[in-house]
Structure formats: C-alpha cells, structure tokens
Amino acid sequence: MASIKDVANLAGVGLGTASRALSGKGYVAPETKRKIEEAARKLSYTPNVFAQNLLKNRSGIIGILVPALDHCFFSRLVQELESDLYKKGYKTMLCCTVSGGHGEEDYLDMLENNLVDGIITATHSFNDEAYLRSKRVVVSFDRDFGGHIPMVRSDHKAAGRMAAEHFIDRGCKKILNIYGEDAREGHISVGMAHRELKDCLEAAGIQVLEEYTRQDKFDMGYYSEIAGRCLERYRDVDGVFASDPLAEAFLWEGERRGKKIPQDLKIISYDGTEMTRSISPRISAIVQQIDKISQDLTNILTRRIQGEEIPEDKITEILWRQGETC
Amino acid sequence: MASIKDVANLAGVGLGTASRALSGKGYVAPETKRKIEEAARKLSYTPNVFAQNLLKNRSGIIGILVPALDHCFFSRLVQELESDLYKKGYKTMLCCTVSGGHGEEDYLDMLENNLVDGIITATHSFNDEAYLRSKRVVVSFDRDFGGHIPMVRSDHKAAGRMAAEHFIDRGCKKILNIYGEDAREGHISVGMAHRELKDCLEAAGIQVLEEYTRQDKFDMGYYSEIAGRCLERYRDVDGVFASDPLAEAFLWEGERRGKKIPQDLKIISYDGTEMTRSISPRISAIVQQIDKISQDLTNILTRRIQGEEIPEDKITEILWRQGETC
C-alpha cells in the first residue's frame, strides 16, 4: 500500500509539499498540486487519518489500562468505555497490564511514544510517578493520585455502611472482610468501603476479621483456594464481604462444606456485575454502576483533551441489589 | 505538546527536512540538523512512533473485532490476543461490534482509514464484502470467507462427535441442540459441531430438537429466558448441548423447575471457559483451547504482514473436561 512518501517521490516533491497538497492546508502551486494528486491516484493512495492527525498532533486514540479482562468488572468496564469513546469519535487501544505480563510502565512508554490523545487507567500498581510524568491527559478510575489526576469512583463509604447495615440487620456476629492487598493503602479507593464496613460493624459490637488477596491474580482457581482456606481457618464466620468472583467462590466453597446459604453464612458482594445475578442462588450485592462510571470517565477525559479544566473527582452512587445470599 | 510541525516551524525548515533530521534517515545539512535538534529540545518534542511508522507506512497496531466482551469466550480471547500481539511488538485496537452498537462496517472504515497493519475478526455478521475489499491483512476466527481469508478454528466436527458419544453413553433419548442462528449457515464454523452432533445422534436413533439464539444478545437475562422457554416447551428433553453461558442458564432454569442434574437433564457446554468450572456443579464441557487459537491467529497475521503467504486454515484440537452435569 502506498504511503504519502511514495506519492511525494513519484510526484518529485518533498514530503511537506505532498502533505499540504493532499490535506488541502497551506499553499501549493496549482501545477504541483495536480502532479501530486495524479501520483496519489496512480498509487491508490488513501489519505489516512493518522497522517492527518499527525499534523494536528492528534490521533483520536485513547489508551485504556486495566489489569486483565478475565475479571468480570474490568471486561464490563472496557466494553462500556469502548462504546462511549467510539460515540465521541475516539478509538480504544487496550492494555492489559497483568494478564499481558508487561507491566504498566512498558505500556505507558508505548502510549507515550504513540500519539494517543489520552489515557484512562484502572490499574492498581503502586507506580504513580509514570502517570504524573505523562504528557497525555490522564483520568483515573478508583486510583487516587493525590489530586493530580481526576478520579472517578463509586461512593465507597456508602457501600461500606450499606453492607454493615445488612449484616447487623441479619444478626451476624463475626464478619470476614476480604479485599485486595493493594486497597489496604489509601491510594486504591475501594479500600474505603472495607474500612467503613469495619468501623460500622465494630461500633455495633460485631467482630471483624480481615484477609487480603493478591492484586495480580484473577482466576477462579485462586479465589476458590482463598475461600476454602478462610472457611477452614474461621469456622464460625457468619458473614463475608468480598468482590464478585471471590463472593462466588465463598458461595461454592461454603456449600461444599455443608454450610446453608444464607442461614449459616451470609454473603454480600461488592461490584454486583451480571455474574452475581446470573448464578443460582443469586448473590446479594452492592452495585457499582459501570455504565455511569464509563460515561463520567469518558466525559472528563474528552473535555480535558479539548482543553477544559475539570479537576474535580466524580463520585457515583451505589445501589443495593437483593439476592438470595443475605 | 509539540508536534514535528512545531519543531519545523521553530527551526524555520520544512516538515520533510525536520522529519529526516529527527529520524536520522536521508541527508540534512549539519547546520540545519543542529537547528532542528535545538528546536526539538526547546519544545520538548518526543519523536513518536506513529510519525516514524507513517514514513514506513506501518503503525504497529492490530484491530481486533469481536461482538462484545460480556460473553466470556470473547473477553478471554481478546485478553490472550492482546498479550500475544504485545509480545510480537503490536498494539491492540479494540472494536466491539455488537455492544458498541456501531456495526462492523463503521469499524472497518475506521480501521481502513487509520494505519492498522492488520485485522483479526471474530464477528458473526453476514457482510463478507467489506473484509474482502480491505487493503489490510485480515485473519479470521471461526468465520469462513470461502478460502479468501485464512481462518483459525477448533475441530468442530470432533466436538460434535464427542458430545454425541457422551450423550449416547449416558443413555439419553431426546437431545436439545441449541446454537446461534448465524451458525446455521455454513459461514460460521461452529455450526459444524451442531450439525455433526445431530448426524451422529440421529444415526444412533436418538431424537434431536433444534433451537436457535440471536447473534446480537449475550446477556444472561436473555439466555435464562431462552432456557426457561425451551424447558417449558420440551419437557421430556434429557440432554442439552449449548455454549457456556446458555448451558449455565439451562442448569439454573432446570434446577428451578425441580430437575435433578445430571439424572434428569444432562448438560454439555461447548467452549469450556473458566466459568464452566468455577460454578457448582461444574459443567461438563468440550474445551476450545483459546490460548492456542490466539497464538495461531497472531502467528498467521504477523507472518502475513511480513509478506509470507500462509493461506491454509489452522484447526485446533478440542478437549473433553469432565464436570458434574453429564
């Protein structure tokens, strides 16, 4: 396929002249323009959007960084983002930082060296520096860059309170509060839900046990192992608060050990993706509204690309969905 | 952020000269080169890969077209492809043709107008023309373009035979064979598995009922509705062969109607993604090896981009995974 360079060579002109003639921007002598257009026709040259954007220093491409797609939350988020971005005229470049095995920094270098117009990050690593150095417009999902990068997240405090209320209401005595080790520190916001849950339960005199999961593993085998181990260790736990796939693992591992759900063990999942209502019994869940989150991320990013200053974070309401496990 | 055009302007040279100086390709007078480099430094210009690739007419980007990510098969396939492509130096542009709501043709136009080096399509629409017209290197997953585009797929005939053998072995009398309406025609290869199943079962004197699902819906609500309707209509069916999420829906809807699984209803799913073994009971499945499929797609595509002629299709072995439903 012919490049603009081939066209310039055939017409016997420089690259800049060919580019000006074909984009219609800037002066080119009529006779030269005719020669260039003829060369373009002969070579079946298609003016490409990248070439045109290059002159404007725009690509129309947004890089999305997520850990992996085999976690249902992220596959759903990416699907929504891809659709919302496309509606606004942007293409999606997908970067899976954990499953791809290359690390965030490799991807950021790659995005930096390629003309992406912006970056949406939903990853959990601890390397903030690379983002803060970035020359691109960046928006974050759930990751707190200390106010330097706008963040979209759910109302985690309300989620923690809501879970606590349900456990208290059902008469639970000992709750297992389990979440990613990365969210123990302040910079991953979802940790707020778990800290709020702990505070509310302890204030009500309910015992809270805490366990942490790795942030680089998302397969059900790992989650089943964790759930099984916790159920062996804490035999009198009567409530669990965990993310969707882990909550599902507690459901199956609990049943396997003869526990009646919800009588013996109450389960509340946080994310509330499709999965939690497609299985039987349906899991009682606090729902993060992925469609709204995606719209907020897309709006903030595209408006910032257009030069608007939208520094504030955006907090999305969470919802309760009654299932059969609590 | 500075573009190469800004650098050229500041140095008072043409775009082509600035490009030659910064890429180190082609002659530029030493003094001019120094001026251009100084301008680049002043403007913190980062030479970008797109600009460089533009001259080579390469972008290092591959477009992947899938219907949606909320079907577990596709989210897994995309995750594998992204990783395999990255290892070979390619970036992934994601296009969700159904969930995005824009249609394949819009995406193909977009990919055509942007400098993608190749396209992997795993969609099920009926519009072959747009692909055959494409100037890009295209490789297909499971979709038969009549030999004009290389295709990677699983050994569907073996899958159909394997499913039939298990149903016959378990003494089934009436099987529901349910699959996408798009796979009834020859061009979506997975239909081969369902046709082979039918032939093998009928040859053994077993009755086969057929139903078809829409190709533009992937949510569990839809699958549950279909499964419920089929179980009401065909009350004496004792075996079902369906894709993963639909098989899961038959499991829950069957249990809801008081059927014992597998005693009253045997279920075999075809795809065998993680999902089928993470739920309880585990679904007996025929496994498409997504990791191998991804490697084959990536290998064929990148070798063709490099000019090799690899026209043959690639057929991947399927595997049986014993679960608790058949």
Side-chain angles (χ1 to χ4, degrees), chain A residues 69 79 82 107 113 135, chain B residues 46 49 69 79 82 107 135:
Chain A
L69 290 183
Q79 172 168 308
E82 191 273 345
Y107 275 111
N113 291 330
K135 293 177 211 139
Chain B
T46 324
V49 176
L69 290 183
Q79 173 168 307
E82 192 274 346
Y107 275 111
K135 292 177 211 140

Side-chain angles (χ1 to χ4, degrees), chain A residues 66-270:
Chain A
V66 291
L69 290 183
D70 54 6
H71 190 295
C72 47
F73 184 85
F74 293 116
S75 59
R76 185 71 208 206
L77 179 64
V78 170
Q79 172 168 308
E80 291 288 329
L81 284 172
E82 191 273 345
S83 174
D84 288 337
L85 288 170
Y86 195 94
K87 283 177 203 144
K88 288 183 180 288
Y90 289 93
K91 283 88 67 179
T92 292
M93 188 164 283
L94 177 68
C95 307
C96 298
T97 57
V98 168
S99 61
H102 320 292
E104 239 161 306
E105 213 149 347
D106 283 354
Y107 275 111
L108 280 171
D109 280 351
M110 183 269 277
L111 294 171
E112 209 57 46
N113 291 330
N114 287 273
L115 208 59
V116 298
D117 295 337
I119 293 171
I120 295 174
T121 179
T123 60
H124 286 188
S125 81
F126 284 89
N127 181 1
D128 282 7
E129 285 306 311
Y131 289 99
L132 298 175
R133 271 200 313 269
S134 176
K135 293 177 211 139
R136 311 293 166 190
V137 176
V138 183
V139 177
S140 152
F141 168 69
D142 215 53
R143 178 167 167 180
D144 187 349
F145 288 90
H148 296 291
I149 288 173
M151 170 174 55
V152 176
R153 66 170 175 87
S154 291
D155 188 350
H156 296 306
K157 274 205 153 188
R161 270 198 306 280
M162 190 182 274
E165 279 160 20
H166 282 277
F167 285 130
I168 294 167
D169 192 51
R170 273 37 160 203
C172 291
K173 300 280 169 243
K174 199 183 235 183
I175 301 296
L176 178 61
N177 187 23
I178 181 164
Y179 55 112
E181 57 187 6
D182 48 338
R184 291 174 74 175
E185 314 289 326
H187 90 154
I188 302 302
S189 305
V190 71
M192 293 168 73
H194 294 271
R195 287 189 292 275
E196 183 73 10
L197 174 76
K198 186 168 190 279
D199 291 348
C200 292
L201 289 175
E202 287 180 347
I206 294 169
Q207 196 185 339
V208 179
L209 301 163
E210 300 223 311
E211 286 283 339
Y212 309 99
T213 55
R214 289 174 57 172
Q215 73 220 49
D216 60 351
K217 286 184 83 74
F218 302 98
D219 60 291
M220 280 304 290
Y222 172 67
Y223 289 130
S224 296
E225 184 200 314
I226 294 276
R229 206 190 316 145
C230 288
L231 290 171
E232 295 297 333
R233 189 179 304 164
Y234 311 117
R235 291 181 185 243
D236 53 350
V237 151
D238 56 8
V240 175
F241 183 58
S243 77
D244 288 2
L246 186 53
E248 189 188 336
F250 271 97
L251 176 59
W252 308 135
E253 294 298 321
E255 285 188 344
R256 186 168 299 173
R257 283 163 180 77
K259 286 195 188 285
K260 287 212 176 69
I261 315 284
Q263 294 87 336
D264 303 334
L265 182 68
K266 291 172 181 49
I267 300 172
I268 298 177
S269 75
Y270 188 30

Side-chain angles (χ1 to χ4, degrees), chain A residues 1-3 5 15-16 19 44 46 48-51 54-55 57 59 61 68-70 75-76 78-79 82-83 86-87 91-96 99-100 102 106-107 110 113-115 135-136 219-221 248 252 256 274 278-280 282, chain B residues 1-3 5 15-16 19 44 46 48-51 54-55 57 59 61 68-70 75-76 78-79 82-83 86-87 91-96 99-100 102 106-107 110 113-115 135-136 219-221 248 252 256 274 278-280 282:
Chain A
M1 219 191 52
S3 71
K5 199 179 168 190
L15 194 60
S19 164
S44 304
T46 323
N48 76 62
V49 176
F50 277 163
L54 195 63
L55 295 172
N57 209 22
S59 66
I61 299 176
L69 290 183
D70 54 6
S75 59
R76 185 71 208 206
V78 170
Q79 172 168 308
E82 191 273 345
S83 174
Y86 195 94
K87 283 177 203 144
K91 283 88 67 179
T92 292
M93 188 164 283
L94 177 68
C95 307
C96 298
S99 61
H102 320 292
D106 283 354
Y107 275 111
M110 183 269 277
N113 291 330
N114 287 273
L115 208 59
K135 293 177 211 139
R136 311 293 166 190
D219 60 291
M220 280 304 290
E248 189 188 336
W252 308 135
R256 186 168 299 173
E274 186 69 17
S278 72
I279 61 177
S280 176
R282 293 188 301 280
Chain B
M1 218 191 52
S3 71
K5 199 180 167 188
L15 194 60
S19 165
S44 304
T46 324
N48 77 61
V49 176
F50 277 161
L54 196 61
L55 295 173
N57 210 21
S59 66
I61 300 175
L69 290 183
D70 54 5
S75 59
R76 184 72 208 204
V78 170
Q79 173 168 307
E82 192 274 346
S83 174
Y86 195 93
K87 282 178 204 145
K91 285 88 66 179
T92 293
M93 188 162 283
L94 176 69
C95 308
C96 299
S99 61
H102 320 293
D106 283 354
Y107 275 111
M110 183 269 277
N113 291 330
N114 287 274
L115 209 59
K135 292 177 211 140
R136 312 294 166 190
D219 61 292
M220 279 305 289
E248 189 187 336
W252 308 135
R256 185 167 299 171
E274 186 71 15
S278 72
I279 60 177
S280 176
R282 293 188 301 280

